Amino acid sequence: MQKKIAVINGDGIGPEVTQQAIKVLNSVAETFGHQFIYTDCLMGAVAIDATGNPLPEETIKVCLDSDAILFGAIGHPKYDNDPSAKVRPEQGLLALRKALQLFANIRPISTYPALQHLSPLKSKQLEGVDFIVFRELTGGIYFGKKELSEDKQTATDECTYHKHEIERVSHQAFQYAQKRRKKLTLVDKANVLETSRLWRAVVQEMAPSYPDVKVDFLFVDNAAMQIILNPQQFDVILTENMFGDIISDEASVITGSLGLLPSASVGNSTALFEPIHGSYPQAAGKDIANPLGSILSSAMLLEHFGLPKEAALVREAVEWTLTNGFVTKDIDPLNFYFTSTIGDLISDYVQGKIPGSVKQENIELRKSTII
Ligand code: IPM
Ligand code: MN
């Protein structure tokens, strides 16, 4: 298979984690006889520095002309504390989502036994936690009219949803639920918001077309609590843009590490794959960031290309590193491996270069010479 991948490294740790994902994709290509052709493009603070525009036209063109997009992270501290900044890195990502109509953001939340001790939850609550947050990504308050009155005393952000915007993401969520444990939870605030009442009405209207899926509804404040109290109850959570942003971050911490979670944003044209963590500027260039979110995003990308065997091998390699203690500083601050070493190990595993019997005593000593 030959595929074109647009690579948006972005800011902060974006380039170094994306580099590891590319390493792994190249190992997959070599092992399975595929060819991936990469084109780098700019977005975020680096794009503002280079062109004045957080999303240059050229980037949109390259993305539209590619089979998938691999994205690192964007954001820079010099914009975070400056509410008056006219141009912001985040505008690049929002504009790209809109330009490519990436209306569904899929964030799987799965737990790894090797990381349970890092979770703020007790391990009993974590067993078997495995759900997906389906977040609407191109509508709602994020893209509504924004206004600041001339006297700067009043600000407005409008939240609008059209029925067709709710339907297209909901269809995808229902279909995912059908392939999983067949439960769909709509998270909204229908006791207060008109848009939420429309979401509920539309999902209720669609439910009979998916008779095998059990649908339930939760107010977002309750959902925020339930994700902590009893995360095992969830299979597919469907929600609007803003609620999805908040609860997916909340859900991610229960797994023990934000650095590990991948995501896919899909729509009618090229799909985009990115770790859910941010640009973590304090760690940029130090080779200490966790590359697993990016590597697992490349597994989602492989699945999107219709390569489930390849995706499964990447996930197996990731689990192998975790269970054998090959982890970055966020997971083990004392005995840690570098970002690039983890990328090398996973690439080697994918290429079958790791012998089946690594010496257990060396693993325990965390010797990088075990192989
Ligand atoms: C995310 C991020 C973005 C969002 C920011 C960077 C605009 O937090 O992808 O979740 O709010 O959607
Ligand atoms: Mn977010």
Side-chain angles (χ1 to χ4, degrees), residues 248-290:
S248 61
D249 265 28
E250 183 198 9
S252 70
V253 295
I254 67 177
T255 70
S257 172
L258 180 66
L260 227 83
L261 296 179
S263 81
S265 300
V266 303
N268 298 326
S269 68
T270 322
L272 176 146
F273 301 84
E274 61 167 312
I276 83 159
H277 61 68
S279 60
Y280 191 15
Q282 304 86 331
K286 294 188 180 154
D287 204 19
I288 56 169
N290 192 337

Side-chain angles (χ1 to χ4, degrees), residues 21 70-71 260-264 273-276 291-302:
L70 188 62
F71 165 51
L260 227 83
L261 296 179
S263 81
F273 301 84
E274 61 167 312
I276 83 159
L292 297 185
S294 187
I295 292 171
L296 289 168
S297 298
S298 73
M300 291 183 88
L301 178 152
L302 290 166

Side-chain angles (χ1 to χ4, degrees), residues 147-156:
E147 242 169 23
L148 180 62
S149 66
E150 246 170 58
D151 62 6
K152 297 195 169 40
Q153 301 297 299
T154 311
T156 311

